[in-house]
């Protein structure tokens, strides 16, 4: 590849004509870091507008929340966006870019060039800067402060990577990035996929998603070459770790949701009741399976059993 083409062809479903057009043009012409010289305008926030798709926040439709009106729902959506941006930032800096540093040193890989990997590294750093700028503009124009903080999902993933033997940690972080980068685009599209989302949020997530579709294609190509190059022992290690990584990343962050509910005035017992009555474990399992469709198919194609074991675990998920 020349001039850094991160498109990949035929490796995964794409998101419409714009995504296909981007996939045929050089990185310097399509990457957000090259195209987004200025931020989108921030119009006045309307009372009916939200910051996150309520379809991904079932607790926001519970009667105890509805009693508090649209203001409470808007506040909950801002808190959910806060968590989403924190999760994304930590994935990019602490998982993907750490993995790219490892991938640059893997010999013999031809499916993803050094130029491609450095472009991904640049994209991820820019996304973090883009979100920081977004936080500042949102505070200035709406009064909502999206505070930086930890992400439970990323903490779980990194804990798994740190718990393995030292000689396997580089492989573990590459595996974690291979999971997060092949399932993140669907969530990005759904998070802003309703008409009542505040327009600057839609712009932010759309710009991010366009880059991530190219990253997804690049990681699919990389994994398709990398896994067959591993020794039997390395493949067995990876096969055992992948279901844990997928569950750690995709399982609902219930403690954070409880905190959000308490922040709008519910007491702890009410928050627990809302969570209990809003979360259908079977539906959560289905959603995790759908979110992990690309990595499941990828690893199945490579002859690994991790997809089946992840499916079994997802179907048995229950609130802790």
């Amino acid at each position: 590849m020349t001039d850094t083409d991160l498109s990949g062809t035929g490796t995964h479903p794409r998101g419409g004509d714009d995504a296909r057009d981007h996939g045929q043009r050089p990185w310097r012409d399509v990457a957000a870091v090259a195209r987004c010289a200025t931020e989108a305008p921030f119009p006045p926030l309307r009372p009916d507008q939200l910051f996150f798709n309520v379809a991904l926040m079932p607790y926001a439709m519970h009667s105890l929340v509805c009693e508090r009106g649209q203001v409470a729902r808007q506040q909950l959506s801002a808190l959910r966006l806060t968590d989403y941006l924190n999760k994304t930032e930590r994935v990019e800096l602490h998982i993907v870019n750490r993995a790219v540093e490892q991938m640059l040193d893997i010999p013999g890989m031809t499916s993803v060039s050094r130029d491609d990997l450095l472009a991904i590294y640049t994209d991820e750093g820019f996304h973090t800067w883009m979100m920081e700028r977004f936080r500042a503009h949102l505070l200035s124009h709406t009064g909502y402060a999206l505070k930086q903080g930890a992400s439970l999902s990323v903490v779980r993933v990194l804990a798994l990577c740190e718990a393995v033997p030292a000689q396997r940690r580089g492989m573990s972080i590459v595996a974690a990035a291979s999971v997060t980068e092949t399932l993140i685009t669907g969530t990005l599209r759904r998070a802003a996929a309703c008409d009542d989302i505040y327009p600057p949020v839609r712009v932010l997530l759309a710009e991010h998603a366009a880059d991530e579709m190219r990253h997804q294609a690049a990681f699919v190509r990389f994994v398709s070459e990398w896994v067959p190059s591993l020794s039997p022992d390395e493949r067995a290690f990876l096969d055992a770790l992948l279901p844990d990584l997928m569950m750690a990343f995709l399982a609902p962050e219930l403690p954070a949701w409880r905190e959000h509910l308490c922040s709008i005035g519910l007491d702890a017992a009410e928050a627990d009741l809302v969570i209990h009555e809003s979360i259908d474990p079977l539906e959560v399992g289905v959603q995790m399976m759908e979110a992990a469709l690309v990595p499941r198919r990828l690893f199945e194609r490579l002859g690994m059993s991790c997809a089946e074991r992840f499916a079994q675990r997802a179907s048995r998920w229950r609130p802790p």
Side-chain angles (χ1 to χ4, degrees):
M1 285 175 288
T2 60
D3 201 16
T4 313
D5 176 5
L6 293 175
S7 61
T9 55
T11 54
H12 74 291
R14 294 183 184 277
D17 292 339
D18 183 62
R20 284 190 292 271
D21 181 54
H22 280 199
Q24 296 166 2
R25 292 156 54 197
W27 171 80
R28 69 182 71 251
D29 293 339
V30 297
V33 66
R35 292 185 299 107
C36 301
T38 59
E39 290 85 5
F42 278 69
L45 176 67
R46 301 197 314 261
D48 63 311
Q49 290 177 323
L50 300 173
F51 298 104
F52 206 82
N53 187 351
V54 74
L56 300 176
M57 303 167 51
Y59 51 88
M61 302 306 295
H62 191 277
S63 59
L64 289 177
V65 175
C66 292
E67 289 172 0
R68 286 160 172 79
Q70 176 65 12
V71 171
R73 188 174 293 110
Q74 188 180 81
Q75 291 172 345
L76 282 176
S77 72
L79 290 166
R80 187 64 182 274
L81 179 62
T82 298
D83 284 354
Y84 186 80
L85 295 183
N86 286 334
K87 180 177 184 177
T88 302
E89 178 176 305
R90 280 154 178 75
V91 166
E92 290 168 336
L93 296 182
H94 301 305
I95 296 178
V96 180
N97 275 359
R98 282 178 57 191
V100 168
E101 292 169 1
Q102 297 291 324
M103 293 159 70
L104 286 165
D105 291 332
I106 297 176
M109 294 291 107
T110 60
S111 57
V112 183
S113 70
R114 180 178 178 85
D115 208 33
D116 286 338
L117 291 173
L118 292 173
I120 292 172
Y121 196 92
T122 302
D123 284 345
E124 301 296 44
F126 177 75
H127 295 160
T128 304
W129 180 86
M130 183 170 64
M131 290 185 294
E132 184 63 17
R133 296 281 292 175
F134 176 85
R135 289 186 185 100
H137 285 296
L138 191 74
L139 177 60
S140 175
H141 289 84
T142 71
Y144 274 99
L146 308 186
K147 297 180 180 179
Q148 289 182 303
S151 164
L152 177 58
S153 296
V154 177
V155 167
R156 293 185 300 218
V157 168
L158 291 176
L160 288 169
C161 294
E162 291 298 320
V164 306
Q167 68 271 23
R168 299 286 198 216
R169 285 178 190 161
M171 181 185 297
S172 298
I173 202 70
V174 173
S178 299
V179 167
T180 63
E181 289 298 278
T182 54
L183 58 78
I184 197 171
T185 55
T187 308
L188 274 168
R189 289 193 294 270
R190 290 189 68 198
C194 57
D195 293 337
D196 56 2
I197 298 296
Y198 184 50
V201 175
R202 286 205 301 267
V203 171
L204 175 78
L205 298 187
E207 294 288 358
H208 189 188
D211 283 348
E212 292 299 338
M213 281 190 286
R214 293 188 297 276
H215 297 183
Q216 184 185 74
F219 269 87
V220 167
R221 294 199 310 276
F222 170 82
V223 170
S224 298
E225 182 182 15
W226 177 55
V227 168
S229 76
L230 299 175
S231 70
D233 285 347
E234 289 171 330
R235 283 174 62 96
F237 167 79
L238 188 64
D239 209 13
L241 179 63
L242 284 165
D244 291 338
L245 292 174
M246 288 190 279
M247 287 298 299
F249 192 73
L250 290 172
E253 299 185 4
L254 299 186
W257 296 359
R258 290 188 181 96
E259 288 183 11
H260 297 174
L261 290 164
C262 290
S263 74
I264 64 165
L266 275 65
D267 62 32
E270 290 173 326
D272 284 338
L273 178 65
V274 170
I275 294 291
H276 174 74
E277 294 184 348
S278 302
I279 305 302
D280 179 353
L282 294 178
E283 180 63 22
V284 169
V286 170
Q287 290 171 353
M288 287 195 287
M289 287 289 289
E290 291 175 348
L293 179 62
V294 172
R296 285 193 297 115
R297 287 180 173 175
L298 171 62
F299 291 115
E300 283 176 346
R301 177 168 58 80
L302 294 171
M304 303 180 79
S305 62
C306 54
E308 180 180 351
R309 285 181 288 109
F310 167 74
Q312 293 170 351
R313 292 184 58 181
S315 68
R316 295 196 298 265
W317 181 86
R318 296 294 183 271

